[in-house]
Amino acid sequence: MSLAELICPAGTPAALRTAVDAGADAVYCGFQDATNARNFPGLNFTPDELAEAVTYAHARGTKVLLALNTYPPAGKVDLWRHAADTGARLGVDAFIVADMGVADYIARMYPGVRLHLSVQAAASSPEAIRYYCENFSVKRVVLPRILTIPEIRQIRREIPCEIETFIFGNHGLMVEGRCSLTNYLTGQSTNMDGVCSPASDVEYVRDADGSMSSQLAGFTIDRFGPEEKAGYPTICKGRYAAPHRPEGYYAFEEPISLNLSRLLPELIEAGVHAFKIEGRQRSKSYVRGVVRAFRAAVDDIKAGREANIADLIALTEGQKQTQGAFETKKWR
Amino acid sequence: MIPTSEPTARLRPGEGAIARLACLVLQPVLTRVVRRVAARHPSLFARLGPHQATDFLIDPVELPFALHLRPDPQALVFRAVPRDTAPQVGATIRGRFLLLLELIDAEQDGDAAFFSRDLEISGDTEAVVRLRNALDDIDGSLAEEASAMFGTPGRTVLARLRRAYPDATKPREYA
Ligand code: SF4
């Protein structure tokens, strides 16, 4: 059986302590800048906060993974190199990277620190994954959310590194690390600036009938009726009118979260080493609830008991959940 | 700060007078609470960044008044205001009183409350996100902290409030 490590989100020092106390095997976090893909206002860590966080986590046997998973614009690599230097100095257990230049820098400068390949690298074939392993000594790949369990099992046989999959949280559908939808509307890049649908460009407008419109850079992304559940203002989950669907429809994906709790035993059996819970932008309450639920489930499975996973629907986007491609490629 | 969010004025007959009286009574309490929170949690202001100067309206829908917050460490404002005289603000956060209290105490998840439409925000979304993240980085319960400042009477009021809204105040455990 695989180690089935639980990799848990930490957007703030308090959330990190919450995740550690709730049973995380590892927490992942980022600095307050464009070096990570949750560069949200008021979120993330200063170097001093990360130093304290590493001490807190290590004292309790929890690893700290530093996300440096955005792509430096050409000629602007210093911010990423400096972040890697700081992370190594503070004793993080691994870097999560997407960009080959960043991977190369860390592999050369800090060969003793593990490299994990971010989902943002979109490496989904054995050939691509092996390339990162051979050239940058990557120890683990976080797989894109486009593979079925039989495909994951097959990849596992053909690569020399560990596999991590997402198990709960936001369900983005574009090719990971390549989506330019936000860039198109706001001028900011998810992949280089670290933010999809920047809050500064988001506005919620309440209409007289109690409906709510979510707008990004002045474009309406969705309009929710008075009783309708809402979602994030991300373009991939917008509801649009088109000539063939004038009533409006979810062109790419509807507001929904990934929840693989029921597939957990099968994923462990397929050789997945680690399970990632998405949500560094979420609250301590979310972190506590989701980490506890999956901690209990993983422990049950490891002990040979049937996992009785808690109901997490209240925490899902649009209060809807899916098993996405992990269950079938026909999910949309 | 450019005002972007209109206060709501939906007064029932007689509510204006009640609201004004409640605001008068509450004001010394609110001033003490906000000063204490600011003194004990200075890191809050760093996360607020430029939005220390933003005016927020926190609007508990079932109470006869709203709360005006400007989290400027040099000139803190936290005051109860009758809705009909609420100032124009940068951002408004609206929901049931106990939900708002639970969000401050990280017993509820703000995104989940937003998805379920129990929480409504308008105006400057970045300001709200910063305030949320700043408050979420505080360990422990601000409600407990504030009530403890007023000794037994304070704790009694909080306990009564929680009893009055058992569903809203019960720590929401998902596990
Ligand atoms: S628009 Fe959707 S797919 Fe694209 S970066 Fe944002 S969440 Fe991901």
Side-chain angles (χ1 to χ4, degrees):
Chain A
M1 182 181 281
S2 76
L3 286 173
E5 278 181 40
L6 268 188
I7 316 297
C8 305
T12 62
L16 182 139
R17 292 188 289 273
T18 301
V20 170
D21 297 347
D25 294 304
V27 285
Y28 63 103
C29 50
F31 286 128
Q32 295 176 350
D33 56 34
T35 57
N36 74 94
R38 288 288 181 273
N39 181 20
F40 291 2
L43 205 70
N44 292 325
F45 290 65
T46 64
D48 286 348
E49 287 171 344
L50 185 63
E52 283 178 26
V54 169
T55 305
Y56 186 89
H58 285 177
R60 289 155 184 81
T62 307
K63 298 190 189 85
V64 177
L65 318 183
L66 183 63
L68 300 180
N69 58 346
T70 42
Y71 291 85
K76 294 188 180 157
V77 294
D78 284 355
L79 186 64
W80 280 257
R81 289 184 177 176
H82 182 65
D85 297 340
T86 308
R89 178 170 51 80
L90 299 179
V92 299
D93 298 279
F95 294 105
I96 308 170
V97 299
D99 179 75
M100 287 189 205
V102 176
D104 177 64
Y105 177 77
I106 296 173
R108 281 188 292 108
M109 300 299 289
Y110 306 106
V113 187
R114 282 170 64 99
L115 270 183
H116 293 185
L117 191 64
S118 169
V119 69
Q120 288 290 97
S124 55
S125 69
E127 292 79 8
I129 297 165
R130 279 201 300 268
Y131 178 84
Y132 286 96
C133 296
E134 285 159 14
N135 288 283
F136 312 111
S137 302
V138 161
K139 298 283 188 294
R140 179 183 293 175
V141 58
V142 185
L143 289 179
R145 288 158 273 200
I146 55 167
L147 299 162
T148 62
I149 295 180
E151 284 172 331
I152 293 172
R153 196 177 283 118
Q154 183 61 33
I155 287 175
R156 172 83 192 88
R157 289 191 201 107
E158 296 181 37
I159 59 169
C161 71
E162 300 168 358
I163 285 181
E164 180 174 314
T165 60
F166 278 86
I167 192 149
F168 189 86
N170 192 18
H171 193 227
L173 283 197
M174 304 302 139
V175 178
E176 314 263 10
R178 310 290 184 271
C179 177
S180 295
L181 288 174
T182 278
N183 208 333
Y184 181 66
L185 288 198
T186 71
Q188 290 200 61
S189 162
T190 305
N191 308 311
M192 292 189 284
D193 298 310
V195 56
C196 171
S197 300
S200 53
D201 285 287
V202 172
E203 197 175 348
Y204 299 105
V205 180
R206 190 177 200 274
D207 300 329
D209 67 350
S211 299
M212 176 189 70
S213 301
S214 53
Q215 300 183 350
L216 181 66
F219 293 89
T220 299
I221 300 293
D222 207 340
R223 185 164 185 271
F224 303 98
E227 304 298 325
E228 209 177 352
K229 306 299 178 206
Y232 285 123
T234 47
I235 306 169
C236 65
K237 291 178 182 166
R239 189 161 30 177
Y240 306 103
H244 66 296
R245 299 285 292 272
E247 76 284 8
Y249 78 119
Y250 288 108
F252 307 106
E253 174 64 298
E254 54 191 306
I256 200 161
S257 291
L258 184 75
N259 184 357
L260 300 187
S261 53
R262 280 194 285 142
L263 298 179
L264 200 51
E266 219 180 315
L267 287 162
I268 293 176
E269 180 272 321
V272 175
H273 290 81
F275 297 102
K276 176 165 257 155
I277 295 167
E278 185 275 343
R280 282 194 284 141
Q281 75 283 12
R282 302 290 291 263
S283 67
K284 295 198 298 274
S285 165
Y286 167 95
V287 170
R288 191 187 307 123
V290 180
V291 175
R292 273 190 196 163
F294 279 100
R295 174 78 277 152
V298 168
D299 289 349
D300 280 345
I301 294 166
K302 279 181 168 176
R305 295 186 295 266
E306 196 178 330
N308 181 18
I309 192 86
D311 182 8
L312 298 168
I313 192 79
L315 291 169
T316 56
E317 185 178 359
Q319 303 205 326
K320 279 186 272 179
Q321 52 195 4
T322 177
Q323 299 185 127
F326 293 83
E327 185 188 20
T328 166
K329 291 249 170 180
K330 294 186 191 153
W331 88 96
R332 282 287 288 168
Chain B
M1 168 94 239
I2 303 163
T4 55
S5 180
E6 296 283 341
T8 48
R10 21 169 219 284
L11 293 179
R12 290 184 285 272
E15 202 174 87
I18 296 170
R20 266 173 271 285
L21 183 66
C23 294
L24 215 63
V25 173
L26 269 179
Q27 197 47 56
V29 175
L30 295 176
T31 305
R32 266 185 78 186
V33 165
V34 77
R35 288 205 183 128
R36 166 71 77 93
V37 169
R40 289 186 55 146
H41 305 285
S43 64
L44 209 151
F45 296 106
R47 288 195 183 273
L48 281 164
H51 288 289
Q52 293 176 357
T54 296
D55 288 295
F56 294 88
L57 192 75
I58 299 162
D59 187 3
V61 288
E62 70 278 59
L63 297 191
F65 55 83
L67 297 161
H68 169 210
L69 169 73
R70 189 188 307 135
D72 180 349
Q74 308 308 325
L76 274 172
V77 174
F78 191 43
R79 62 191 183 108
V81 286
R83 282 200 180 80
D84 55 344
T85 60
Q88 288 218 316
V89 291
T92 298
I93 303 164
R94 186 172 293 125
R96 286 172 302 120
F97 173 64
L98 265 290
L99 170 68
L100 296 173
L101 202 63
E102 288 185 340
L103 288 170
I104 289 171
D105 275 357
E107 285 179 13
Q108 292 260 6
D109 178 69
D111 290 14
F114 173 78
F115 298 149
S116 66
R117 307 286 300 279
D118 291 323
L119 182 73
E120 204 179 291
I121 65 176
S122 54
D124 189 327
T125 309
E126 176 172 327
V128 177
V129 171
R130 276 193 180 271
L131 181 64
R132 195 279 300 267
N133 289 334
L135 290 171
D136 205 61
D137 192 34
I138 292 176
D139 282 319
S141 161
L142 280 182
E144 303 279 352
E145 215 175 279
S147 67
M149 284 172 60
F150 302 93
T152 309
R155 289 195 196 90
T156 309
V157 169
L158 184 65
R160 285 230 174 116
L161 274 171
R162 288 183 161 162
R163 269 203 303 279
Y165 299 85
D167 288 333
T169 54
K170 185 169 60 173
R172 178 72 70 88
E173 295 296 352
Y174 301 96

